[in-house]
Amino acid sequence: MHLDHTTARGGAELALVRLLRAGGDWLPAVLVPAVDEADAFAALPPTVLRRTAGVAQGPGGSAGSPLRLAVLAARLVVQAVETRLNPLVRTCDVVAANSTRAAAYAAVALLGSRTPLVVHLRDMVDEESLGGFGHRVMTRLVLPRADGVIANSHTTLSTARPFLRDDAITAVIPSAAGLTRAAARPPRTGPLRIGMLARIDPWKGQAELLEAFAVACRHGDAELEFAGGAPFEHEDFAARLAARAAELGIADRVRLLGHVDDVPEALARWDVGVQYSTRAEPLGQNVLQYLAAGLVTVVADEGGPREWVTDGENGRRVAPRDPRALAEVLRELVEDAAARERLASAAPGTPGLLDDAAVARAHAEIYREIATRRRMPVKA
């Protein structure tokens, strides 16, 4: 039973859809509290059981006023009860929490139960990522209860280890990101195009990339594209990005594409892909997608992306939270076509890039191991 607290098109939700579409060696069911305005799980294959039961969890929640946190806690408790009573949860072999919020109510729902809990860890276990309330719930309730953790990077897993039981099974498996390793990309014609594939969110770094682009590409015809929807109440931020592009005098070369369903088609339009989140990114599915697509890949030099990009070999690393440093790297790439060609050619050969079927096989092994161990009789 896969639990998720939302149907919005976030990275965790899209990764779960890709995972289940890949057809792993288990019988999957998905339980969500409510259907949001956007429904990522509408793309699930008909063979996947899907149920809706509970109360909408709403966006945010990692921080806020005492009243907002009290409402969040109440909703988590209600959802835990709904989850505990669900017949599919009561009869499944493994409960897999796909998001941090889902892990919170799953841990409560399974208190006193022998049903194994697997936490898909997609966030750093720290207060910056989870907020004070979320961090306490994760470290005092969720991780101590978890029978297994599937982390999206070694960096992510390292932040969880101090709070896990000694017998918890752990694995590092990158999220299903729809990867298809590119053949040699034919040279693109037209202006150099730089892009960022990420939901529109202040911490994802769109504002910093916009400022860096304005400096590095003030003259010339280079273009900048942002591909990603604006879920979780960030429509105003998207509007501010467009307004800022106009203030900088580059609005005619900056496009906000919104959510894109055909990621390979979007990436085929770009020469350079950028990840520049303003806090350490646990993984960055976009980094894997850039590399597999044969883009020149530029990442912030921290967190999970460091595990994938070696500066000057298959991409470029940039000091985090420093738009001037990002502008300098972009300027170098704009001016050096040979460097772009060399980095782009090396990107698809990055070790460890897995297609969705391989990711699903790795998940199946962990699910089976955890379910088997939990069924073993307890020794006297």
Side-chain angles (χ1 to χ4, degrees):
M1 171 59 78
H2 298 271
L3 305 181
D4 203 300
H5 75 284
T6 180
T7 67
R9 296 190 185 102
E13 291 69 37
L14 295 174
L16 179 56
V17 170
R18 295 187 192 104
L19 179 69
L20 299 186
R21 288 177 66 89
D25 187 21
W26 68 93
L27 296 176
V30 175
L31 176 65
V32 295
V35 177
D36 299 279
E37 183 176 349
D39 186 2
F41 298 120
L44 285 172
T47 53
V48 177
L49 289 174
R50 177 178 172 177
R51 298 291 184 269
T52 303
V55 293
Q57 294 297 303
S62 62
S65 67
L67 177 59
R68 182 165 185 170
L69 292 179
V71 171
L72 169 63
R75 288 178 177 274
L76 289 176
V77 171
V78 171
Q79 192 59 38
V81 173
E82 290 279 0
T83 302
R84 177 72 176 234
L85 296 177
N86 186 276
L88 290 175
V89 174
R90 294 170 66 88
T91 58
C92 70
D93 294 296
V94 175
V95 168
N98 190 56
S99 65
T100 300
R101 188 90 64 91
Y105 59 73
V108 176
L110 296 179
L111 287 174
S113 166
R114 288 186 55 80
T115 302
L117 172 62
V118 178
V119 176
H120 288 260
L121 199 59
R122 307 179 190 276
D123 295 303
M124 301 289 196
V125 181
D126 57 35
E127 291 197 20
E128 182 180 23
S129 301
L130 304 177
F133 176 76
H135 185 257
R136 289 191 295 274
V137 170
M138 181 62 73
T139 58
R140 299 178 187 179
L141 176 63
V142 174
L143 294 177
R145 171 60 179 83
D147 298 280
V149 166
I150 298 176
N152 57 8
S153 71
H154 293 280
T155 303
T156 305
L157 181 58
S158 69
T159 65
R161 282 197 184 279
F163 311 103
L164 293 170
R165 303 195 314 263
D166 291 341
D167 64 345
I169 295 171
T170 62
V172 174
I173 307 173
S175 298
L179 303 188
T180 301
R181 289 181 189 251
R185 284 168 59 102
R188 277 193 63 257
T189 58
L192 182 77
R193 192 171 290 137
I194 299 168
M196 177 180 283
L197 176 67
R199 72 172 187 264
I200 302 299
D201 189 312
W203 82 270
K204 288 296 185 179
Q206 285 94 356
E208 287 72 18
L209 175 55
L210 180 63
E211 299 294 333
F213 176 83
V215 172
C217 306
R218 183 173 301 278
H219 306 293
D221 58 358
E223 299 174 349
L224 175 63
E225 292 187 346
F226 295 110
F232 314 127
E233 300 180 343
H234 290 307
E235 295 85 355
D236 288 348
F237 178 58
R240 292 199 303 272
L241 288 172
R244 180 58 178 158
E247 291 175 1
L248 293 168
I250 54 174
D252 60 326
R253 294 189 287 127
V254 176
R255 285 182 287 277
L256 278 76
L257 305 179
H259 174 76
V260 295
D261 288 312
D262 191 340
V263 171
E265 190 278 334
L267 299 186
R269 294 167 45 85
W270 300 348
D271 303 284
V272 179
V274 180
Q275 175 273 326
Y276 204 62
S277 301
T278 60
R279 62 176 186 251
E281 185 73 59
L283 170 67
Q285 292 181 44
N286 54 359
V287 175
L288 308 187
Q289 291 164 328
Y290 299 158
L291 291 169
L295 293 182
V296 179
T297 302
V298 178
V299 302
D301 192 10
E302 62 180 351
R306 285 177 54 91
E307 299 175 23
W308 294 96
V309 174
T310 301
D311 190 48
E313 293 187 11
N314 66 335
R316 293 297 310 272
R317 292 183 186 172
V318 186
R321 295 170 292 281
D322 187 346
R324 290 186 180 182
L326 179 58
E328 182 57 34
V329 167
L330 293 180
R331 182 184 294 110
E332 292 172 7
L333 292 172
V334 168
E335 295 175 353
D336 192 341
R340 294 200 307 272
E341 182 178 354
R342 176 174 56 81
L343 295 172
S345 296
T350 300
L353 295 175
L354 302 177
D355 63 21
D356 292 349
V359 172
R361 289 193 295 271
H363 279 72
E365 291 180 8
I366 298 301
Y367 293 155
R368 186 177 298 109
E369 181 181 359
I370 290 171
T372 301
R373 176 187 289 188
R374 198 66 167 176
R375 286 195 297 266
M376 293 176 64
V378 178
K379 295 182 179 179

